[in-house]
Amino acid sequence: MRDATPTDLQAIIEDIHAELAPRFGEGKVADYIPQLAHVDPQRFGLAVVTLDGQTHLAGDAEMPFSIQSISKALVLTLALGRYGEAIWKRVGREPSGSAFNSIVQLEHEHGIPRNPFINAGAIVVTDALLAGHTPREAIAEVVRFVRFLADDEDILVDKAVARSEEATGDRNRALAHFMHSFGTLRHPVEHVLGVYFHHCALAMSCRQLARAGLFLAANGRHPLTGGSVVSAARARRINALMLTCGHYDGSGDFAYRVGLPGKSGVGGGILAIAPGRASIAVWSPGLNANGNSALGSVALERLAQRTGWSVFGS
Ligand code: GLU
């Protein structure tokens, strides 16, 4: 298959937007974080940014939404920068096969979470980022890093979403206390969760998110600023984790249908990476049974089919 030209790409994403329009609203908007339940289920945005920075947008691609667990890929990148491979002493790298907020494996596995993309694993990564920092400083560091990645100073944390999750985060609190009892967490649970809830509450548009993920498609380089974010080997490894663990117990299905590394969030966003080609962000708030954007996955499946982008062959 020949590579899609910029004109093809724009036409492809506009077609996908138009085809899916009758289905907008499919799935179930997350309501266990009350503030997320206020989001209009009919929203749909799609952004594709190619390595040369060309940006293709469709639908609500400029509207900020709650990135939720997509932040887990970005904070992992930050923690790898600080600790290198030593982070893997504290969190595993295996798909979990269970829900994003599951507690069952933790007891069997002595408080070491399966991977950094389930809640327990991301809470451990967040604990690592707190070393030497107050919670406020750690949040500021994450925000600075995400702004740098997207080359966009306007990115903010949605404080109402963070407060809403803080008020209802019993499940995450249970996970964190359980890990604290094993010594997996080194900071007070409320500090760790405060930072965790805030990075999950980052509000970004599809355009900003696709730009922030571009280094993962570009061997760790930052095509927008010319700098380097991580080594090529590290970018490959983050992509491998996104492919195997990025969609919780729906990761196998996403790999089968889309064939690209991706990280989802319960806000209905998905960041997907076509290595060597593009970074893609889609947003549709309705979720499927695994807590991943229902229509977002369909949109990415169609995009991958039409562009031929896949990590498994062309
Ligand atoms: N902040 C959410 C939670 O901890 C993230 C879950 C997700 O996006 O999958 O429950």
Side-chain angles (χ1 to χ4, degrees), residues 32-33 68-69 72 100 119 165 172 196 200 248 264-267:
Y32 75 99
I33 301 173
Q68 291 296 316
S69 283
K72 293 172 181 170
F100 67 99
N119 286 9
E165 192 166 354
N172 285 321
Y196 171 80
C200 287
Y248 311 117
S264 69
V266 292

Short mmCIF file of all heavy atoms in Angstrom, two decimals, residues 32-33 68-69 72 100 119 165 172 196 200 248 264-267, ligand 1:
data_model
loop_
_atom_site.label_atom_id
_atom_site.label_comp_id
_atom_site.label_asym_id
_atom_site.label_seq_id
_atom_site.Cartn_x
_atom_site.Cartn_y
_atom_site.Cartn_z
N TYR A 32 -18.56 7.23 37.42
CA TYR A 32 -18.06 6.99 38.78
C TYR A 32 -17.21 8.17 39.25
O TYR A 32 -16.94 8.31 40.44
CB TYR A 32 -17.31 5.66 38.86
CG TYR A 32 -15.93 5.68 38.23
CD1 TYR A 32 -14.79 5.83 39.01
CD2 TYR A 32 -15.76 5.57 36.85
CE1 TYR A 32 -13.52 5.86 38.44
CE2 TYR A 32 -14.51 5.60 36.28
CZ TYR A 32 -13.39 5.75 37.08
OH TYR A 32 -12.15 5.80 36.50
N ILE A 33 -16.76 9.01 38.29
CA ILE A 33 -16.19 10.31 38.64
C ILE A 33 -17.28 11.31 38.23
O ILE A 33 -17.48 11.55 37.04
CB ILE A 33 -14.88 10.59 37.87
CG1 ILE A 33 -13.86 9.48 38.19
CG2 ILE A 33 -14.33 11.98 38.21
CD1 ILE A 33 -12.58 9.55 37.36
N GLN A 68 -7.58 11.60 31.58
CA GLN A 68 -7.60 10.47 32.52
C GLN A 68 -6.37 9.57 32.34
O GLN A 68 -5.27 10.05 32.39
CB GLN A 68 -8.94 9.72 32.40
CG GLN A 68 -10.10 10.56 32.93
CD GLN A 68 -9.95 10.83 34.42
OE1 GLN A 68 -9.61 9.96 35.20
NE2 GLN A 68 -10.16 12.07 34.84
N SER A 69 -6.58 8.29 32.08
CA SER A 69 -5.44 7.35 32.13
C SER A 69 -4.43 7.51 31.01
O SER A 69 -3.39 6.87 31.04
CB SER A 69 -5.95 5.91 32.13
OG SER A 69 -6.42 5.60 33.40
N LYS A 72 -1.11 8.29 32.12
CA LYS A 72 -0.20 7.25 32.66
C LYS A 72 0.99 7.01 31.74
O LYS A 72 2.08 6.68 32.19
CB LYS A 72 -0.98 5.94 32.88
CG LYS A 72 -2.02 6.05 33.99
CD LYS A 72 -2.89 4.80 34.06
CE LYS A 72 -3.95 4.91 35.15
NZ LYS A 72 -4.95 3.84 35.09
N PHE A 100 -9.18 -1.99 35.03
CA PHE A 100 -8.22 -0.93 35.32
C PHE A 100 -8.03 -0.67 36.81
O PHE A 100 -6.97 -0.25 37.24
CB PHE A 100 -8.62 0.37 34.60
CG PHE A 100 -9.90 1.01 35.08
CD1 PHE A 100 -9.86 2.06 35.97
CD2 PHE A 100 -11.13 0.57 34.64
CE1 PHE A 100 -11.03 2.67 36.42
CE2 PHE A 100 -12.30 1.17 35.07
CZ PHE A 100 -12.25 2.22 35.96
N ASN A 119 -4.47 1.20 37.27
CA ASN A 119 -4.42 2.27 38.28
C ASN A 119 -3.32 2.03 39.31
O ASN A 119 -2.56 2.94 39.65
CB ASN A 119 -5.77 2.40 38.99
CG ASN A 119 -6.81 3.05 38.11
OD1 ASN A 119 -6.58 3.25 36.92
ND2 ASN A 119 -7.95 3.36 38.69
N GLU A 165 -12.81 13.53 41.55
CA GLU A 165 -12.22 12.20 41.73
C GLU A 165 -11.70 12.03 43.16
O GLU A 165 -11.77 10.94 43.75
CB GLU A 165 -11.10 11.96 40.72
CG GLU A 165 -10.70 10.50 40.71
CD GLU A 165 -9.85 10.09 39.54
OE1 GLU A 165 -9.64 10.90 38.62
OE2 GLU A 165 -9.40 8.94 39.55
N ASN A 172 -9.38 3.77 44.42
CA ASN A 172 -7.96 4.08 44.29
C ASN A 172 -7.29 4.20 45.66
O ASN A 172 -6.14 3.81 45.84
CB ASN A 172 -7.77 5.36 43.48
CG ASN A 172 -8.02 5.11 42.00
OD1 ASN A 172 -7.64 4.07 41.48
ND2 ASN A 172 -8.67 6.06 41.34
N TYR A 196 -1.77 11.91 41.59
CA TYR A 196 -2.37 11.00 40.60
C TYR A 196 -3.69 11.59 40.05
O TYR A 196 -3.89 11.65 38.83
CB TYR A 196 -2.61 9.63 41.26
CG TYR A 196 -3.42 8.68 40.44
CD1 TYR A 196 -2.84 7.95 39.39
CD2 TYR A 196 -4.78 8.48 40.69
CE1 TYR A 196 -3.59 7.08 38.62
CE2 TYR A 196 -5.54 7.61 39.92
CZ TYR A 196 -4.95 6.91 38.90
OH TYR A 196 -5.68 6.05 38.12
N CYS A 200 -4.39 12.78 36.11
CA CYS A 200 -5.52 12.19 35.36
C CYS A 200 -6.49 13.29 34.90
O CYS A 200 -7.19 13.12 33.91
CB CYS A 200 -6.28 11.20 36.23
SG CYS A 200 -5.41 9.64 36.51
N TYR A 248 -6.16 -2.00 29.19
CA TYR A 248 -6.60 -2.90 30.26
C TYR A 248 -6.88 -4.29 29.69
O TYR A 248 -6.14 -4.78 28.84
CB TYR A 248 -7.83 -2.32 31.00
CG TYR A 248 -7.62 -0.89 31.38
CD1 TYR A 248 -8.41 0.13 30.88
CD2 TYR A 248 -6.58 -0.56 32.24
CE1 TYR A 248 -8.19 1.45 31.24
CE2 TYR A 248 -6.36 0.76 32.60
CZ TYR A 248 -7.17 1.75 32.09
OH TYR A 248 -6.94 3.04 32.43
N SER A 264 -5.72 4.37 26.44
CA SER A 264 -7.07 4.92 26.56
C SER A 264 -7.25 5.59 27.92
O SER A 264 -6.45 5.39 28.83
CB SER A 264 -8.09 3.79 26.44
OG SER A 264 -7.99 2.96 27.59
N GLY A 265 -8.31 6.34 28.05
CA GLY A 265 -8.69 6.94 29.33
C GLY A 265 -10.20 6.91 29.48
O GLY A 265 -10.91 6.92 28.46
N VAL A 266 -10.70 6.90 30.72
CA VAL A 266 -12.15 6.83 30.90
C VAL A 266 -12.86 8.14 30.53
O VAL A 266 -14.09 8.18 30.54
CB VAL A 266 -12.57 6.39 32.33
CG1 VAL A 266 -12.22 4.95 32.60
CG2 VAL A 266 -12.01 7.32 33.38
N GLY A 267 -12.10 9.16 30.18
CA GLY A 267 -12.72 10.37 29.62
C GLY A 267 -13.15 10.14 28.17
O GLY A 267 -13.77 11.01 27.56
N1 GLU B 1 -8.53 8.62 37.06
C1 GLU B 1 -9.17 7.38 36.67
C2 GLU B 1 -9.20 6.44 37.84
O1 GLU B 1 -8.26 6.37 38.56
C3 GLU B 1 -8.41 6.80 35.52
C4 GLU B 1 -9.02 5.55 34.97
C5 GLU B 1 -8.94 5.48 33.46
O2 GLU B 1 -8.88 6.48 32.76
O3 GLU B 1 -8.99 4.35 32.95
O4 GLU B 1 -10.15 5.75 38.09
#
